């Protein structure tokens, strides 16, 4: 039973990790907690579902279109809700983020109604038994796609020119601008990538649980945030680690404890991390720039 | 000028006097000849409803009002009750318990209603019932399933099956008809789920064994950990005390885990969404309900077609129970012979074997409903009545 629960936890955790990547990238570069990220995840799931059910696309093209659409939405949210406040206090940007989140949620409620909608499986799902542990092909898909996306992100940030510009902007916006980096464009790009990753998680979770709804982004959004803080906010490998740990902790909490505490586990972890290691597991202690 | 004004004043006083005299005369007539009062057009009996017509729970309250409306229109079209027309006064609570208390007092003190149908949510009924009971106005809830509602007082009735009645009868059915002896239970962690869990576990333990109990929260997506744990106990049936959305996901994830169990549930399953989301994972699922809109009995067909004609949609369980509650109230008014609240209360308490569309209905000594629970099953993607 333990290894079965471990598989359950890792699959859940890998979706948290994908959501956490979006949070952590945006925080690392724009120093902004993008509370609308959960809604972008929800939006991606809806676009993916519409592509599969109404347009009739196969899984991968639907996933790519959902990621592109969410990237566009992410950039738009940044442009409307965050860019005008870039010079204001961080509290103003945070409030604007919460506003954007509520706005997107209600827009989705208006457009798609409050009911959950089914997300039919776009491919055959088989069960495989490995050493007494049941793994579905869907779970393998989720793990592999998450892994591919994370590796691609790592490559983008460490090996490409835009990645270098992102790292430079993260370190010091003013100096990066003086060196000829278009900071606005780098931040837009960051939102686009983070949103696309969130949408990928949304589509996969939608298929995994066969349902999408306007409120689906709320809790996973918060858990993605907790995962990002757990790993060290702004740190990309940290977000992945945080997501996996959170997924396993939650699953084990239900498996050996009480399922009523499932959501409390995430927030207990958040409080403990903030109390004892506010920089997170892999984060570095840095002087806060005032 | 002055003369004209005086004249107007004189006419006004005259008219007022005339009204008073006519009014008195009318009353005098009634007193002198009570048998005549039934024929008067002015005679009407007022029925109030209390429930959410706006807000998050509005769909329940609107269903209830519509069900009551149909029953009252039927009675009025047939010439009223004992010749008196029935007037409906609907009050909106927005789903709020305080508003329910206000609405109940308003109906009693300002509108002088003879009887109240409501409230809808259990919290609303708990708030409004004491006012109705103290004022001696009978109140019958067509939807509040919480424990303890009829015990609020002798004027408080209920025409909906308590959560625990459904769960207990389902456990008996599973044991007797399906031969299940190993049960697992999952329940949503609110009043509804907890009441279902308590009753189901209490009954099932006498009939077999409850191998695992797991809770979840409304809106949960991931049940894999709980289901893996349930699979360890090797149950034959899984009772889900919750609503259709989560039930569909649980059934689907159970199927994926290779957990081969009979899915059982209560009226929270009763929505086409269960089948839309659950697909073949909910095929064969069995659940309890108070009303089945596919029934071929004349009374049900008549109600369903009237409702569809009037409101353009299929009636749900709330509308059906409200329709029955209103018809029971109308019969009680007929028996009582007037709009007198105390007489209506006694007639209600004496109702026996009323042929409702949600089953043959009587009340127990405390005012709680006694009727058989319907059992429905998912067959080929739609619902079918199996008991």
């Amino acid at each position: 039973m333990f290894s079965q629960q471990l598989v359950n936890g890792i699959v859940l955790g890998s979706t948290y990790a994908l959501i956490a990547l979006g949070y952590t990238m945006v925080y690392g570069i724009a120093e902004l907690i993008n509370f609308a990220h959960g809604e972008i995840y929800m939006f991606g799931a809806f676009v993916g579902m519409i592509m599969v059910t109404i347009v009739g696309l196969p899984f991968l093209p639907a996933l790519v279109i959902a990621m592109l659409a969410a990237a566009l939405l992410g950039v738009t949210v940044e442009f409307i809700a965050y860019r005008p406040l870039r010079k204001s206090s961080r509290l103003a940007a945070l409030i604007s983020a919460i506003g954007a989140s509520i706005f997107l949620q209600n827009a989705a409620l208006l457009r798609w109604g409050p009911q959950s909608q089914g997300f039919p499986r776009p491919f055959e799902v088989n069960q495989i038994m490995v050493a007494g542990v049941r793994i579905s092909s869907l779970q393998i898909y989720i793990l592999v796609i998450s892994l591919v996306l994370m590796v691609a992100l790592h490559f983008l940030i460490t090996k490409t020119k835009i990645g270098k510009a992102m790292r430079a902007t993260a370190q010091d916006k003013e100096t990066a601008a003086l060196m000829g980096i278009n900071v606005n464009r780098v931040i837009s790009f960051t939102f686009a990538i983070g949103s696309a990753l969130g949408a990928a998680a949304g589509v996969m979770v939608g298929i995994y649980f066969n349902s999408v709804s306007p409120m689906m982004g709320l809790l996973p959004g918060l858990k993605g945030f907790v995962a990002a803080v757990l790993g060290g906010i702004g740190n990309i490998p940290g977000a992945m680690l945080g997501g996996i740990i959170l997924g396993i902790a939650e699953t084990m909490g239900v498996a050996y404890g009480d399922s009523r505490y499932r959501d409390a586990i995430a927030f207990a972890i958040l409080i403990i991390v903030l109390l004892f290691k506010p920089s997170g597991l892999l984060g570095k202690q840095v002087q806060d720039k005032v | 000028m002055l003369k004209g004004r005086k004249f107007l004043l004189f006419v006004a006083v005259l008219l007022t006097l005339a009204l008073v005299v006519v009014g008195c005369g009318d009353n005098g007539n009634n007193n002198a000849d009570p048998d005549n009062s039934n024929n008067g057009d002015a005679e009407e009996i007022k029925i109030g409803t209390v429930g959410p017509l706006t807000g998050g729970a509005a769909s329940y309250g609107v269903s209830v009002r519509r069900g009551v409306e149909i029953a009252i229109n039927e009675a009025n079209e047939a010439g009223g009750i004992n010749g008196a027309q029935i007037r409906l006064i609907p009050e909106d609570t927005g789903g709020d318990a305080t508003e329910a208390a206000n609405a109940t007092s308003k109906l009693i003190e300002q509108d002088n209603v003879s009887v109240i149908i409501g409230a809808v949510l259990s919290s609303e009924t708990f708030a409004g019932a004491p006012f109705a009971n103290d004022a001696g106005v009978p109140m019958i809830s067509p939807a509040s399933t919480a424990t303890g509602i009829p015990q609020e007082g002798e004027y408080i009735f209920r025409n909906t099956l308590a959560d625990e009645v459904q769960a207990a009868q389902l456990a008996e059915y599973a044991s007797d008809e399906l031969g299940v002896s190993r049960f697992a239970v999952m329940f949503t962690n609110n009043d509804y789920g907890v009441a279902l869990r308590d009753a189901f576990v209490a009954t099932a333990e006498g009939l077999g064994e409850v191998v695992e109990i797991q809770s979840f929260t409304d809106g949960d997506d991931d049940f894999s950990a709980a289901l893996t744990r349930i699979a360890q106990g090797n149950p034959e049936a899984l009772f889900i005390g919750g609503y259709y959305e989560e039930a569909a996901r649980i059934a689907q994830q159970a199927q994926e885990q290779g957990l081969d169990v009979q899915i059982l549930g209560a009226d929270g399953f009763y929505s086409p969404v269960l089948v839309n989301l659950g697909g073949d994972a909910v095929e064969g699922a069995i659940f309890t309900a108070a009303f089945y809109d596919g029934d071929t009995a004349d009374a049900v067909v008549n109600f369903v077609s009237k409702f569809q004609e009037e409101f353009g949609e299929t009636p749900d369980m709330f509308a059906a129970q409200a329709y029955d509650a209103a018809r029971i109230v109308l019969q009680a008014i007929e028996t009582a012979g007037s709009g007198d609240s105390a007489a209506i209360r006694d007639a209600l308490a004496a109702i026996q074997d009323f042929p409702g569309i949600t089953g043959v209905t009587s009340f127990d000594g405390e005012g709680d409903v006694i009727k058989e629970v319907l059992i429905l099953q998912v067959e080929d993607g739609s619902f079918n009545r199996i008991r």
Side-chain angles (χ1 to χ4, degrees), chain B residues 184-204:
Chain B
V185 175
M186 284 185 80
F187 67 99
T188 180
N189 199 12
N190 61 24
D191 288 347
Y192 178 63
V194 170
L196 288 174
R197 175 202 65 185
D198 289 347
F200 190 89
V201 170
T203 313

Side-chain angles (χ1 to χ4, degrees), chain B residues 115 138-140 157 325 328-329 332 343-351 363:
Chain B
V115 50
M139 188 172 191
I140 176 166
F157 294 81
I328 290 170
V329 162
I344 294 173
R345 187 258 152 213
D346 293 339
L348 269 179
I351 293 264
F363 294 105

Side-chain angles (χ1 to χ4, degrees), chain B residues 278-291:
Chain B
D280 62 345
V282 296
E283 190 65 29
I286 289 175
F287 59 93
T288 51
F291 172 64

